[in-house]
Amino acid sequence: MPEALTHHLPALQIVLTLVAAPLCALVGSRWAWSVATAASVLAFAIAVTLFGTVLDGTVISYHMGGWAPPIGIEYRVDILNAFVLLIVSGIAVVTLIYAQKSVASEIGSEKHGLFYAAFLLCLTGLMGVAITGDAFNVFVFLEISSLSAYALIATGADRDRRALTAAYNYLIMGTIGATFFVIGLGLLYMLTGTLNMADLAQRLFDHGDNRTLRTGFCFVLIGLTLKLAMFPLHLWLPDAYSRAPSAVTAFLSATATKVMVYVLLRFLFAVFSFSFAFEGSVLRVIVLPLAMIGIVVTSVVAIFQDDLKRMLAYSSIAQIGYMLLGLALVSQTGVMASIIHLFNHAVTKAALFMAAGCFVLQAGTTSIHELRGIGRDMPWTMAAFVIGGLSLIGVPLTVGFISKWYLVEAFIEEGWWPVALLIVGSSLLSFAYIWRVVEAAYLRDAPEGVMRKEAPLSMLAPMWALVGLSLYFGVDSSLTSAAASRAANALIGASNLFWQ
């Protein structure tokens, strides 16, 4: 690859999908899928290249327009956000391959061009949030991804009119979260006069603890936890995931909340840097207990859901709780557990929602009661669901086990045995709601007169690719563990640099 082109890879990571989005709308339904898939594949290739470049600890700083930070906008790539870029762009490619048949069955053909344009805009926003080094740009890209996500969810109205209500509720809650976030940024800008995150961290440390800093921190924290659906700020998520088209749910469940966790990690450790005790006390006293409660409550609620997609949505809220547990512990192992779970949960939950989409295509429903006997009619789809379910439970040889192992280890290191036992015990709740689906699929007779057949290969292949990743990285987690460990060390190191 030419050196000049390599130099501009951080910008191309965003520009390619951003340019391809309106192109999808212009070329119409016939070519929109091809354009979107090609752009996503290129974005993934760039993400792989960037990840390989920074894996040894290198940090790439790209100055937009040649203007150096803090005056200019900086795209900053390190091991943490390269890992997130890899997850987001990789899931986008797999989802688009899966989406061709799924979207054709759930959305009117006249809307396909606009659908794929919105999909690419959402992808652009999520990648932009991850790669930018400017705090206000985080807000801008966050709104690009959110607005397109609202539109994507609303396209589910062709199959279920309740998708419009779900999109509206998401819009309201998302707008409130974004407003809190940008108010927090405004307070930080008022205090420091800068929005570059590296420069912001230094100036916040120089100012020391004060009321404006605490208020800005609280606004940022509330805004981000609302956007990532932390319990009890999660009420928008179950409807959004259960009413959206299947491809949209698979993509958003694997990427959107993960990017918000990344932003929270970035602000907590690289911007605020734990240079004042208030931040640590908020995490330990508020975030940690809410994460624990959320894991239990939402897992129990999932047990009583009849709709499969809604059950998986509540499961996602519980999984977000696991990520927040490690983050709130403020230790190297805890942060590492949160980062590795970004990847592990992304591949697991995307595969599960893809299985649900296969049921929608072939059975026309996600009602667990109406899916009786589906395991005999759709054996490959159901087998993928079972393996994904085992990963959610945390069974050894799956990525879910790796996440819970590191998380339990983190709390044992701190001597917090009750929390470690809660993490292990919550696996029983996961087993309960996964078993309900397995029982209906394999141990009950199918409804009379119902004809169902296996999903097409174009949907099975990407789903099983994710299942394969779940099994492979459950056996050999050296790559993901190394990336997560180095990212955690960099975050903790940045925090300690200011603390000292």
Side-chain angles (χ1 to χ4, degrees):
M1 186 178 292
E3 184 176 350
L5 184 61
T6 304
H7 172 71
H8 293 293
L9 285 182
L12 290 173
Q13 179 81 77
I14 306 303
V15 170
L16 284 174
T17 52
L18 184 62
V19 171
L23 187 59
C24 286
L26 291 174
V27 299
S29 301
R30 184 176 180 182
W31 296 103
W33 177 83
S34 300
V35 172
T37 304
S40 298
V41 169
L42 289 174
F44 178 63
I46 293 173
V48 171
T49 304
L50 292 175
F51 181 76
T53 302
V54 302
L55 190 58
D56 61 355
T58 302
V59 176
I60 300 173
S61 178
Y62 181 85
H63 305 160
M64 299 297 291
W67 290 85
I71 297 175
I73 301 299
E74 177 189 27
Y75 279 7
R76 190 175 182 86
V77 185
D78 57 20
I79 184 62
L80 176 59
N81 57 2
F83 191 51
V84 175
L85 287 171
L86 196 67
I87 295 170
V88 173
S89 58
I91 292 293
V93 172
V94 177
T95 303
L96 280 168
I97 296 171
Y98 169 91
Q100 188 173 28
K101 292 283 187 181
S102 178
V103 168
S105 68
E106 297 183 40
I107 302 173
S109 59
E110 72 281 359
K111 300 178 183 177
H112 287 182
L114 295 176
F115 173 87
Y116 288 114
F119 186 97
L120 286 183
L121 285 175
C122 187
L123 173 60
T124 300
L126 292 173
M127 293 192 301
V129 168
I131 202 172
T132 186
D134 183 87
F136 189 75
N137 260 220
V138 171
F139 167 73
V140 172
F141 281 119
L142 184 61
E143 286 306 282
I144 291 173
S145 65
S146 296
L147 290 171
S148 51
Y150 308 148
L152 289 170
I153 292 168
T155 57
D158 284 2
R159 186 177 66 89
D160 186 346
R161 298 295 293 177
R162 289 173 293 183
L164 296 175
T165 305
Y168 179 75
N169 290 336
Y170 187 12
L171 184 153
I172 296 299
M173 299 301 290
T175 302
I176 294 172
T179 302
F180 269 76
F181 179 65
V182 78
I183 289 174
L185 293 184
L187 290 169
L188 298 180
Y189 181 72
M190 181 178 71
L191 184 65
T192 63
T194 186
L195 287 169
N196 179 271
M197 286 191 276
D199 192 41
L200 188 60
Q202 180 62 59
R203 297 196 187 191
L204 286 177
F205 176 76
D206 293 340
H207 278 81
D209 193 1
N210 59 71
R211 187 176 299 175
T212 304
L213 177 59
R214 292 187 177 193
T215 306
F217 168 75
C218 289
F219 270 101
V220 168
L221 180 66
I222 294 171
L224 292 178
T225 51
L226 200 158
K227 296 288 280 187
L228 64 83
M230 181 187 80
F231 179 89
L233 305 176
H234 66 281
L235 298 180
W236 59 267
L237 189 145
D239 283 340
Y241 282 11
S242 59
R243 309 303 177 197
S246 301
V248 174
T249 306
F251 178 68
L252 292 180
S253 66
T255 58
T257 52
K258 313 304 177 295
V259 171
M260 291 302 100
V261 172
Y262 157 78
V263 177
L264 190 58
L265 282 166
R266 181 67 75 185
F267 270 84
L268 290 179
F269 291 92
V271 175
F272 295 106
S273 303
F274 286 93
S275 54
F276 63 109
F278 179 72
E279 179 181 357
S281 62
V282 168
L283 290 179
R284 293 289 182 98
V285 176
I286 298 177
V287 175
L288 186 64
L290 287 177
M292 294 165 59
I293 296 170
I295 289 171
V296 175
V297 171
T298 54
S299 295
V300 171
V301 173
I303 295 172
F304 296 97
Q305 300 301 309
D306 180 64
D307 184 88
L308 180 59
K309 290 176 72 174
R310 196 171 183 84
M311 182 198 82
L312 293 174
Y314 277 106
S315 168
S316 290
I317 301 167
Q319 299 297 316
I320 291 168
Y322 290 121
M323 299 175 204
L324 292 175
L325 278 183
L327 178 153
L329 192 57
V330 196
S331 71
Q332 195 276 341
T333 308
V335 173
M336 176 184 171
S338 294
I339 294 172
I340 199 170
H341 199 43
L342 296 179
F343 174 83
N344 293 348
H345 182 249
V347 297
T348 298
K349 193 52 65 73
L352 287 168
F353 273 115
M354 285 181 181
C358 291
F359 295 145
V360 171
L361 178 69
Q362 301 299 67
T365 182
T366 52
S367 168
I368 297 174
H369 178 72
E370 295 178 17
L371 291 175
R372 301 190 311 275
I374 198 75
R376 292 182 287 275
D377 299 328
M378 302 177 67
W380 286 101
T381 300
M382 194 60 209
F385 182 91
V386 170
I387 296 173
L390 292 175
S391 182
L392 278 186
I393 295 168
V395 174
L397 304 183
T398 66
V399 290
F401 173 77
I402 302 297
S403 298
K404 291 188 177 181
W405 176 270
Y406 282 117
L407 201 53
V408 169
E409 182 182 353
F411 281 95
I412 290 177
E413 286 178 357
E414 298 292 320
W416 292 23
W417 288 90
V419 183
L421 291 174
L422 172 70
I423 295 168
V424 175
S426 64
S427 297
L428 298 176
L429 296 175
S430 303
F431 175 80
Y433 59 74
I434 293 297
W435 174 252
R436 289 187 61 237
V437 184
V438 173
E439 180 189 18
Y442 290 112
L443 303 182
R444 295 186 183 180
D445 295 329
E448 293 185 7
V450 175
M451 298 294 294
R452 301 172 295 202
K453 59 181 181 179
E454 187 56 87
L457 182 61
S458 62
M459 297 175 74
L460 287 175
M463 179 175 61
W464 271 96
L466 293 174
V467 171
L469 290 176
S470 178
L471 293 173
Y472 176 81
F473 287 107
V475 175
D476 181 9
S477 62
S478 56
L479 177 61
T480 53
S481 296
S485 178
R486 291 171 186 172
N489 284 331
L491 287 175
I492 298 294
S495 179
N496 290 337
L497 178 65
F498 289 106
W499 179 254
Q500 293 170 356

